Amino acid sequence: MSAETDTIEITAYSWIPPFARGLVRDLRVRWTLEEIGLPYRTQLFDRRTEQGNSRIPEQPFGQVPAFRQGDVRMFETGAICLYLAERSDTLLPSDEVGRTRAMCWAFAALNSVEPAVMQLSVLNLFEADKPWAGERRPMVEGMVHDRLQHLSDALGERDWLEDRFTVGDLLMTTVLRNLKRTKLLDDYPNLAAYRARAEARPAFQRALEAQFADFIDDDQERMEA
Amino acid sequence: MSAETDTIEITAYSWIPPFARGLVRDLRVRWTLEEIGLPYRTQLFDRRTEQGNSRIPEQPFGQVPAFRQGDVRMFETGAICLYLAERSDTLLPSDEVGRTRAMCWAFAALNSVEPAVMQLSVLNLFEADKPWAGERRPMVEGMVHDRLQHLSDALGERDWLEDRFTVGDLLMTTVLRNLKRTKLLDDYPNLAAYRARAEARPAFQRALEAQFADFIDDDQERMEA
């Protein structure tokens, strides 16, 4: 058994290209920890030197974040955030129906919405200068729009995907943030408001500040995050 | 609270194009239910008519499967399988370290490996006839290889990703099955053996049989699954 009194340690980057700042996935874990009020410390890696190494300790896919508390060693933000959410009622309702719905949205964020968003990110980051990028874009944006339209319909006029903020909303917000350099959310005012509502939470703001504070050359880029 | 004695009902397809048979995601839930020995019944939809409708009841993204037992209504195979796995020691160790590792691999399957595999599936299914498909392929296959190499290293010579079969192995196997019409697994003999080992489990075979038995025009295609 892990002792829940042991110090929580997560891995994060001390340097990563500016375009990725505020989007690195340790933000999900930091936000979760801020929401439930647990302190943590970070073990930092410089992305410039780690690329040659390709392996972050305790993370099979060579990425951040990993999570450690006592004997519990975890990777995958979905697993870490869900595990932490289980510790209190703050992010995961204790009743069976509410708990299972929050689990559904947590997986929906990472397995139904993020893969489509990731295809668009790959196009924008690695293929934008290809002569066929323009031909691919409608198909890729179409996949994202399909997911956003369904998500928008599911959200409707509510504040959150269920009747209160859960770990599902937390993860979904971080996925929608990956669209911030596109205009796709403009077509879904309720999703844009949903993302802004979540980002306005004090715990999110503290998590974002903390991620930027760990960059060795942090400067005005924080303002754009 | 839901009554765990209520009948379990899942949604699935009565018709879907042959290339997708044996790969539809209700297989994950059927397999989980077979592993832990819970009976279920199916509510079937014909993909040919549902495409116009674009919405399967109780599934926000218009897909199968959805899960229902009493008051518990779930979607997302990761959430459903993890929730079911919690009910016994069969797929989720009861000790904290074992349980959290299984959670990590469940999310790794769906958020670290499947999104890369999905990019390759999109290329093979929707872009294979494009003049630039050949130019895209190395980049897309490279993303998949990166994930497979890390996964192969993590598995090593063990039978399963941790010291016993868990819901993480179950989900990972279904993701690797999406590569079956490619040769990418040939470079990772331990992963190919891992997939075959999992597919040899009687519970998997029963689940696959059950998925095919629900197709209205099931015939020799089953042999190719």
Side-chain angles (χ1 to χ4, degrees):
Chain A
M1 287 296 293
S2 73
E4 291 196 3
T5 51
D6 285 340
T7 300
I8 290 174
E9 190 169 275
I10 67 171
T11 58
Y13 288 126
S14 57
W15 189 93
I16 196 161
F19 75 84
R21 299 181 185 194
L23 300 176
V24 191
R25 292 181 177 195
D26 58 277
L27 183 67
R28 295 172 176 170
V29 180
R30 294 176 190 264
W31 187 4
T32 299
L33 290 164
E34 293 286 352
E35 289 282 355
I36 60 184
L38 289 177
Y40 65 96
R41 68 180 178 200
T42 52
Q43 180 186 7
L44 300 177
F45 296 88
D46 187 326
R47 178 68 178 157
R48 293 169 295 192
T49 54
E50 286 301 316
Q51 276 178 316
N53 192 339
S54 90
R55 182 62 64 97
I56 303 283
E58 303 187 49
Q59 214 291 359
F61 299 98
Q63 303 170 314
V64 304
F67 170 95
R68 181 195 307 185
Q69 185 178 30
D71 293 337
V72 172
R73 312 279 172 110
M74 298 184 73
F75 56 100
E76 292 292 330
T77 51
I80 299 166
C81 293
L82 187 59
Y83 168 67
L84 289 170
E86 289 172 351
R87 294 196 185 171
S88 78
D89 189 70
T90 308
L91 291 176
L92 197 64
S94 53
D95 68 287
E96 194 76 341
V97 170
R99 184 175 78 88
T100 50
R101 294 299 291 185
M103 288 173 68
C104 293
W105 288 114
F107 277 97
L110 304 192
N111 198 230
S112 282
V113 182
E114 188 166 44
V117 171
M118 180 183 154
Q119 298 232 19
L120 184 59
S121 297
V122 167
L123 177 66
N124 288 338
L125 291 173
F126 303 123
E127 302 179 322
D129 60 344
K130 302 290 186 186
W132 36 265
E135 187 184 340
R136 278 205 82 220
R137 185 169 300 281
M139 188 273 288
V140 175
E141 289 190 348
M143 288 191 293
V144 179
H145 276 301
D146 173 75
R147 297 310 166 114
L148 294 180
Q149 184 62 61
H150 282 101
L151 186 65
S152 175
D153 292 346
L155 178 64
E157 297 303 313
R158 290 199 308 280
D159 279 357
W160 309 115
L161 288 164
E162 298 291 329
D163 57 3
R164 44 162 289 194
F165 184 81
T166 74
V167 65
D169 297 299
L170 186 154
L171 291 170
M172 191 68 79
T173 299
T174 63
V175 169
L176 296 180
R177 280 173 56 79
N178 286 308
L179 294 169
K180 64 190 306 187
R181 288 187 174 81
T182 76
K183 296 183 183 302
L184 274 72
L185 270 196
D186 293 354
D187 293 342
Y188 312 93
N190 67 334
L191 293 183
Y194 166 77
R195 191 184 78 182
R197 189 178 301 121
E199 290 177 340
R201 294 174 71 88
F204 173 83
Q205 291 297 325
R206 289 195 297 272
L208 190 65
E209 286 280 324
Q211 181 177 84
F212 274 87
D214 276 342
F215 295 133
I216 53 181
D217 58 353
D218 174 33
D219 53 26
Q220 83 282 6
E221 288 142 2
R222 181 192 313 214
M223 306 307 293
E224 303 164 21
Chain B
M1 287 294 294
S2 72
E4 292 195 2
T5 52
D6 285 340
T7 300
I8 290 173
E9 190 169 276
I10 67 172
T11 57
Y13 288 127
S14 58
W15 190 93
I16 194 161
F19 76 84
R21 298 180 186 196
L23 300 175
V24 191
R25 292 181 178 196
D26 58 279
L27 183 68
R28 295 172 175 170
V29 179
R30 294 177 190 264
W31 187 3
T32 299
L33 290 164
E34 293 287 351
E35 289 282 354
I36 61 184
L38 289 177
Y40 64 96
R41 67 180 179 203
T42 51
Q43 181 186 8
L44 301 178
F45 296 87
D46 187 327
R47 179 67 178 159
R48 293 168 295 192
T49 53
E50 284 303 315
Q51 277 180 315
N53 192 338
S54 90
R55 181 63 64 100
I56 304 282
E58 304 188 48
Q59 214 293 359
F61 298 98
Q63 303 169 315
V64 304
F67 170 95
R68 181 195 308 186
Q69 184 177 32
D71 293 337
V72 172
R73 312 279 171 111
M74 298 183 74
F75 55 100
E76 292 291 331
T77 51
I80 299 166
C81 293
L82 187 58
Y83 168 67
L84 288 170
E86 290 172 351
R87 294 195 185 174
S88 78
D89 189 71
T90 308
L91 291 176
L92 198 63
S94 53
D95 69 285
E96 193 77 341
V97 170
R99 184 175 78 88
T100 50
R101 294 298 292 186
M103 289 173 67
C104 292
W105 288 115
F107 277 97
L110 304 190
N111 198 230
S112 282
V113 182
E114 189 166 44
V117 171
M118 180 183 153
Q119 299 233 18
L120 184 59
S121 297
V122 167
L123 177 66
N124 287 338
L125 291 173
F126 304 123
E127 303 179 321
D129 61 342
K130 302 290 186 186
W132 35 265
E135 187 184 340
R136 277 205 82 221
R137 185 169 300 280
M139 188 273 288
V140 176
E141 290 191 347
M143 287 193 291
V144 179
H145 275 302
D146 174 75
R147 298 309 167 114
L148 293 180
Q149 184 62 62
H150 282 99
L151 185 65
S152 175
D153 291 347
L155 178 64
E157 297 303 312
R158 290 199 309 281
D159 279 357
W160 309 115
L161 288 164
E162 298 290 330
D163 57 3
R164 45 163 289 194
F165 183 81
T166 73
V167 65
D169 297 298
L170 186 155
L171 292 169
M172 191 68 78
T173 300
T174 63
V175 170
L176 296 181
R177 280 172 55 79
N178 286 309
L179 295 169
K180 64 190 308 188
R181 287 186 175 82
T182 76
K183 296 184 182 302
L184 274 72
L185 270 196
D186 293 355
D187 293 343
Y188 312 93
N190 68 334
L191 292 183
Y194 166 77
R195 192 185 76 183
R197 190 178 301 121
E199 289 177 341
R201 294 175 71 89
F204 174 83
Q205 292 297 325
R206 290 195 297 272
L208 191 65
E209 285 281 323
Q211 182 176 84
F212 274 88
D214 276 342
F215 294 133
I216 53 180
D217 58 352
D218 174 31
D219 52 26
Q220 82 283 5
E221 287 142 3
R222 181 191 312 215
M223 307 306 294
E224 302 165 21

